[in-house]
Structures are given as structure tokens and as C-alpha cells.
Amino acid sequence: MKYLILYFLSALVLNANAQTKPEGQFKYVLHKANTRGTSEIAWLLSYHTFSFSDYYDPERMNFGALRVLNDDRIDGGKGFGTHPHNNMEIITIPLEGTVEHKDNMKNRGLINAGDVQIMSAGTGITHSEYNYSKSEPLKLLQIWVFPNQQNVKPRYQQKNGILKNQPDNTLVKVVSPTDTNALFLYQNAVFSVGKFKKNYKLNYSLAFKGNGVYAFIIKGKARINGIDLDVRDGLGVWNTEKISIEASEDLQILLMDVPMID
């Protein structure tokens, strides 16, 4: 199945479409939830922020090193059979339910909501992902990041409970090449999950010089650099050292701080 094995080769360029605009000193691209691509089969509903599987838009290939952001719903007992990957950093964040994971590195186990998993595909891996529940749907984010090293030895890592019972008004770093409390990846990229009460405000400073940040609203609403975002909207911001975030409602947000590779 194309969804399992195919990703589009891109030129690693920033999207330069009609939604990309300068605003003061920063630039941004806005992807509203209802503009995402869709894949739907009997057991799967998947929304694609960037081109993936049968959804292709040359204006939406990637945001810097961020290549794939899929928002999946998988029926009970169903999932992706064994399939390959290489030279990609693959992050899985269950939002509701439990993923059953198996791979050719002899990793077998469960990834629950509140956990985060990463695989460095490197020279090549095969794995499968299923909804562990036979009756309840599984909801998860699957994210791919271009690595800064090719053909590394494949690796697997999981942080159990890193987002479980996250306190209000906190930002938890879940992926980082330098923070030992987070999952490692082969890229100067940092992923953080924020949980904020309505009207809470903060400034987020980008992790590395030259990076941009792609914000994805998991729950609630936010205003980022004066731009209003609703649930499942995405906003990529670059040409800046920090962004301002205000929770317009109780908010859960994923910040993906990535190099703006060209």
C-alpha cells in the first residue's frame, strides 16, 4: 500500500506558496486544518499537512527539515503491516489509545497516550504499527524529519509517560539532540508539547540559529505572533529568534523547531 511505503522525494525547499507572507521581521506559512490532504480506507482516516501517499501538492512538500505531519485515526485491531523506512527520523505521539509496535531490531511493545517514540531509520528498518485495542479507535501523530546524517545505524527509543499528567502552563521538551531528558534524533531539531490554560502567554525562543518553528494545535485555540489558530491548524514561522504564544482557549500545542534547510 502506498501509504505504508511511499514518501515523496522533495527538493528540501521552503514552501513559497500564496499563504507565505512577511509580517514585520518574521515570515510565516499558515495551513488551516480543512486544507490538509486526506487518505481514507475502511480502517484508517489520515490527514496530511504535507504531501504524502496519494495526496500531492508541490507547494506543501515540507517545512524545512519537517517532511511529514500525519494526523491518523485507526480502527480497533487494525493498523500498518510490516513496511520499510530508511534515512528518516520518525516520531510517533499517540493522542488517544495505544500503539502496538514491532520491528526487525527485536523491539516489541506498547506506546500509550502520554508516551513518545522515535526511530532513526538510517540504513533501513522494517516495522509494524497496530491499534492494540480491538474496539476503541487509536489517534496519533506521525512525524518525519530529514536527518543531518545519512545511513546511520538504525535505532529505537521511547519515553514512557513523558506527557502523562502534564501540569498546566508547562512546555515539555520531548525530542532534542542535546537534552538527555528527551528523545535523541539526528538533527538540530527540538520538539516540545505545551499545555496552557486560557489567556496564558509565553515567548518561545528557537533552539538553534537559523531554525524555524512549526506549531500544530492539538486541542483548543491559540494566537501566535498575532495570528489566530484553531484546533488542528498549523503555522510555520521563520526569520525570527522567538515567537509569542497566547492560549485563546485551554490549549495543547506541539512545537516543532527545525532547521530551515535548503
Side-chain angles (χ1 to χ4, degrees), residues 20 44 64 66 68 72 228 235:
T20 306
L44 170 70
L66 177 61
V68 167
D72 293 345
D228 290 321
L235 178 72

Side-chain angles (χ1 to χ4, degrees), residues 183-196:
L183 299 166
F184 174 82
L185 83 168
Y186 289 100
Q187 187 53 273
N188 288 333
V190 174
F191 285 19
S192 302
V193 176
K195 182 183 177 186
F196 306 118

Side-chain angles (χ1 to χ4, degrees), residues 45-240:
L45 176 60
S46 182
Y47 294 99
H48 313 304
T49 295
F50 304 106
S51 293
F52 191 88
S53 187
D54 291 329
Y55 168 60
Y56 175 72
D57 182 343
E59 303 288 351
R60 291 176 67 158
M61 294 301 300
N62 57 288
F63 176 81
L66 177 61
R67 172 61 188 88
V68 167
L69 174 55
N70 287 347
D71 183 2
D72 293 345
R73 182 191 184 281
I74 300 171
D75 287 348
K78 304 297 184 180
F80 305 111
T82 302
H83 58 281
H85 298 279
N86 62 55
N87 287 319
M88 195 67 69
E89 303 295 296
I90 301 171
I91 299 102
T92 299
I93 304 177
L95 302 177
E96 297 179 22
T98 299
V99 179
E100 182 178 10
H101 170 92
K102 296 180 183 178
D103 64 44
N104 65 336
M105 296 181 288
K106 299 183 179 180
N107 296 299
R108 297 191 174 193
L110 304 179
I111 314 163
N112 298 298
D115 303 341
V116 181
Q117 175 222 55
I118 192 168
M119 294 186 298
S120 297
T123 56
I125 59 167
T126 59
H127 75 132
S128 64
E129 298 166 295
Y130 280 86
N131 183 350
Y132 181 69
S133 171
K134 301 303 180 185
S135 58
E136 298 299 318
L138 166 66
K139 297 180 181 180
L140 73 153
L141 300 178
Q142 186 173 102
I143 304 156
W144 298 4
V145 174
F146 289 116
N148 57 16
Q149 296 184 43
Q150 296 289 299
N151 299 318
V152 300
K153 181 180 179 181
R155 58 182 295 277
Y156 177 96
Q157 191 181 7
Q158 183 172 328
K159 285 282 189 180
N160 292 331
I162 190 170
L163 297 175
K164 187 176 181 181
N165 301 320
Q166 180 179 353
D168 291 333
N169 301 331
T170 59
L171 190 66
V172 175
K173 193 180 297 183
V174 296
V175 174
S176 168
T178 58
D179 191 331
T180 57
N181 292 318
L183 299 166
F184 174 82
L185 83 168
Y186 289 100
Q187 187 53 273
N188 288 333
V190 174
F191 285 19
S192 302
V193 176
K195 182 183 177 186
F196 306 118
K197 299 298 288 183
K198 182 178 179 180
N199 296 325
Y200 187 83
K201 298 178 182 179
L202 75 153
N203 288 321
Y204 172 83
S205 297
L206 276 73
F208 296 94
K209 185 176 180 179
N211 273 18
V213 60
Y214 195 92
F216 183 74
I217 308 300
I218 299 173
K219 296 179 182 177
K221 297 182 179 182
R223 174 170 288 184
I224 297 178
N225 283 14
I227 301 162
D228 290 321
L229 301 172
D230 209 333
V231 64
R232 287 335 202 241
D233 288 350
L235 178 72
V237 181
W238 71 102
N239 198 36
T240 186

